[in-house]
Amino acid sequence: MNAPAFVNRDEIRARFSRAMSDMYKTEVPLYGTLMELVAEVNRQVMRQSPEVAASLLQTGELERLDMERHGAIRVGSAEELATLGRLFAVMGMQPVGYYDLTPAGVPVHSTAFRAVHETSLQVSPFRVFTSLLRLELIDDPQLRERAREVLAARNIFTPGVLALIERSERDGGLSQADADVFVREALETFRWHSSATVSLDTYKQLLGQHRLVADVVAFRGPHINHLTPRTLDIDSVQSGMPLKGITPKAVVEGPPRRKHPILLRQTSFKALDERITFVGQAAGEYGSHSARFGEIEQRGVALTPKGRALYDQLLNTARAELGEFPNEANALRYQDILERVFVAFPDELETLRREELAFFRYFVADERAAAGVKTDLQSLLDRRLIRYEPLVYEDFLPVSAAGIFQSNLGDDAQSHYAGSSNQREFESALGRSTIDELTLYAETQRRSLQACSEALGVGGLI
Ligand code: OOG
Ligand code: NI
C-alpha cells in the first residue's frame, strides 16, 4: 500500500490565509480598499527604488509580498487557546514570542502563531497575533464568575474541525480532500457574529470592566479583528488613507522612518461601530459593538539582542521626553523627538552588520572557487564572493501592540493592573512553551552562512 499523500502544511496555511482574506473582504469592505492602496504604494516603491526591488527579489520577499498579512484574535480560556494552538499546528504555525500587554493597561497576554523556517515563511508568512484574556484581572468577583460561566458554555470550534485536528495529529497530516474541509471549517472559528451571547445589560457590565472583556466574553467566537497587509512605504499609505476616505490613527507605531527600516512600523484606522442583537432584545431592537479595525505594517530588518536593547532604550528615551502617551495633539512633537533620538541607531547596513545590531542572510555572489582567498567572512565579502541582505522581522512589538489596542479601544480604556507578567501561566494554558524568536533569526542567519560555506567549498564561516 502506498503511503498516504499529505498536503504540505505550508500549502494549507497559504490556502487558509487566502480564504481568511476573502472572508474579511466581504465582512469589512474597507479592508479591500486598504489592500488596493497598499498594492498601489508597493508598485510605486518598486518602480522608484530599484535597490529595494533587487533586495526583495534576492530574499524571496518579492514573491510573498502580495499574500503577506497578519491577523489578530482574542480568546477567553486556556482550553480555547490550547485547541487553537493545535489548529494552527495543522497549518505549520507555532507560537513564537510572549507579549505581556498588562503594563500598558490591556488585560491580555499574547503570542504570535507563525511558520518558523525561512523556506516555510517563503511559501506563506501568514501570522496570527493571539491574545488570552486575563479574567483574573476583572476586579468584581461576581462579574468574573459570570464571565467564566459564559465562556465555559461556548464552543468556538466546529465538530468538523475538531475531528480533522485529531486526524492530522494521529496520521501526521491531511489529505487533499481533508485539507479543503479543514480550511472551510477552521474559518468558522474566526467569523464575525452579529448576535451576542449575553443580554445588553451584561454586555454593558463587561464593557464597564474593559472593552476587551466585552469583546471576548459577549460573542460566540474570537472573530478576526483585523487583517494587516504589508507595505513597503507606510508613510505614503498613511498620507494616502484620507484620500480614500479612511482616517488613520495619529501616530505610526514603532521606530521612525529611516533609510534602512528596522523591526516593524504600524498604523491603523478606528474600529467600526457595528450593529449587534443582544439576548432578550425584541425584533428590530439593536445595540452596537466596535471591535474590528484596519491596520498596515511595514517590516524591516530583525535586530539581534544587542540591537533590540538599543531600540528599546531609544524608544523609552523618546517616550520619556514626550512625557505622555502619543496622541493626536502631540503627534508631530513625538515624531520630531523620535527622529532626533534614533539618530543614535546606525542606518548603514554594513555598520548594523559589523556591530552585530541586526541579522542578515548571506548569499553566494560569485561561484568562482575561493582558492587562495583567506576564508574568513570579511575577506569573502571584500572580494564580493558573498553578499548579504537584511533578514526581515517576522514578529510583533509589545509597545506598538499596546498602542494599536489603545487606539481602537479609546482613551477611556487605559486601566492600571497590578498583575505581574506571567509567561509560565500563559504557556501552561497553551499546553506548550513559546519559541524564542531571537533563536529563530540566529538559526536562519547561520543556515545561510552554512550554505555559502558549502557552495564555495570553504569552512570556518560560522
Ligand atoms: C491585537 C493588537 C496587536 C499588532 O499588530 O501589534 C496587533 C488586537 O487588537 O487584538 O495586532
Ligand atoms: Ni495587528
Side-chain angles (χ1 to χ4, degrees), residues 70 226 228 266 295 396:
H70 83 251
H226 64 282
T228 302
Q266 296 164 289
E295 186 193 40
F396 296 86

Side-chain angles (χ1 to χ4, degrees), residues 18-34:
R18 239 179 345 255
M20 179 83 101
S21 183
D22 290 344
M23 177 174 86
Y24 203 60
K25 225 180 287 180
T26 59
E27 286 186 347
V28 181
L30 223 45
Y31 166 67
T33 311
L34 199 60

Side-chain angles (χ1 to χ4, degrees), residues 145-164:
E145 213 27 59
R146 174 90 181 94
R148 233 187 271 283
E149 276 167 27
V150 172
L151 286 169
R154 78 178 186 180
N155 181 0
I156 64 172
F157 303 100
T158 67
V161 85
L162 290 173
L164 288 171

Side-chain angles (χ1 to χ4, degrees), residues 70 72 74 129 225-226 266 293 295 396 401 404-405:
H70 83 251
R74 307 149 182 173
F129 191 88
N225 66 50
H226 64 282
Q266 296 164 289
F293 60 96
E295 186 193 40
F396 296 86
I404 299 285
F405 269 110

Side-chain angles (χ1 to χ4, degrees), residues 81 85 93-98 110-113 116 423-437:
L81 181 67
M93 297 162 84
Q94 300 190 45
V96 179
Y98 170 76
S110 323
T111 190
F113 287 96
V116 297
Q423 182 165 0
R424 211 159 340 129
E425 196 179 296
F426 183 85
E427 292 180 338
S428 115
L430 178 62
R432 58 163 290 181
S433 52
T434 53
I435 300 171
D436 172 31
E437 68 278 14

Side-chain angles (χ1 to χ4, degrees), residues 135-404:
L135 271 186
E136 73 275 15
L137 298 178
I138 298 186
D139 52 21
D140 172 350
Q142 240 173 325
L143 189 63
R144 196 187 319 133
E145 213 27 59
R146 174 90 181 94
R148 233 187 271 283
E149 276 167 27
V150 172
L151 286 169
R154 78 178 186 180
N155 181 0
I156 64 172
F157 303 100
T158 67
V161 85
L162 290 173
L164 288 171
I165 293 171
E166 273 170 29
R167 178 171 302 175
S168 175
E169 287 172 345
R170 190 191 58 217
D171 299 349
L174 293 179
S175 68
Q176 284 290 353
D178 282 347
D180 284 341
V181 179
F182 173 83
V183 167
R184 209 169 54 230
E185 298 269 328
L187 208 54
E188 291 307 310
T189 297
F190 304 90
R191 193 181 285 287
W192 178 254
H193 299 283
S194 57
S195 58
T197 55
V198 300
S199 66
L200 184 57
D201 198 42
T202 304
Y203 173 81
K204 284 184 176 157
Q205 284 178 39
L206 296 166
L207 204 61
Q209 275 294 318
H210 198 290
R211 196 178 275 278
L212 261 183
V213 175
D215 184 54
V216 175
V217 178
F219 295 89
R220 259 191 282 164
H223 36 253
I224 185 97
N225 66 50
H226 64 282
L227 212 49
T228 302
R230 173 177 167 193
T231 179
L232 299 174
D233 182 354
I234 199 161
D235 301 291
S236 291
V237 177
Q238 174 92 347
S239 56
M241 277 160 79
L243 303 174
K244 301 256 181 192
I246 308 172
T247 312
K249 76 194 273 290
V251 175
V252 174
E253 297 289 342
R257 185 179 183 86
R258 301 159 43 92
K259 191 163 61 177
H260 297 289
I262 53 172
L263 297 173
L264 177 64
R265 300 182 71 208
Q266 296 164 289
T267 182
S268 63
F269 62 80
K270 280 255 152 52
L272 313 162
D273 212 23
E274 301 183 85
R275 201 157 89 166
I276 301 292
T277 315
F278 289 92
V279 168
Q281 281 186 321
E285 247 180 32
Y286 301 100
S288 73
H289 176 65
S290 60
R292 299 193 294 174
F293 60 96
E295 186 193 40
I296 313 104
E297 64 182 20
Q298 178 173 4
R299 292 189 172 265
V301 67
L303 300 184
T304 61
K306 183 180 165 197
R308 182 54 191 267
L310 180 59
Y311 170 78
D312 288 339
Q313 181 205 323
L314 297 178
L315 191 71
N316 285 339
T317 305
R319 295 232 165 186
E321 189 174 331
L322 186 67
E324 54 188 349
F325 277 110
N327 59 41
E328 207 144 338
N330 62 28
L332 283 178
R333 195 162 78 83
Y334 180 56
Q335 197 179 320
D336 281 349
I337 298 174
L338 210 54
E339 276 172 16
R340 179 161 39 74
V341 169
F342 269 81
V343 168
F345 207 113
D347 199 8
E348 291 301 331
L349 290 185
E350 181 52 22
T351 317
L352 293 172
R353 195 189 70 81
R354 228 187 12 248
E355 295 187 7
E356 295 189 359
L357 290 165
F359 288 108
F360 291 87
R361 276 167 83 183
Y362 294 86
F363 300 90
V364 172
D366 192 332
E367 290 279 0
R368 280 175 302 159
V373 179
K374 277 206 289 164
T375 58
D376 65 290
L377 181 57
Q378 196 58 53
S379 317
L380 293 167
L381 287 168
D382 291 345
R383 302 191 52 144
R384 301 190 189 285
L385 294 173
I386 288 183
R387 54 191 291 253
Y388 59 87
E389 296 291 346
L391 175 55
V392 67
Y393 189 60
E394 305 282 354
D395 294 287
F396 296 86
L397 296 169
V399 175
S400 299
I404 299 285

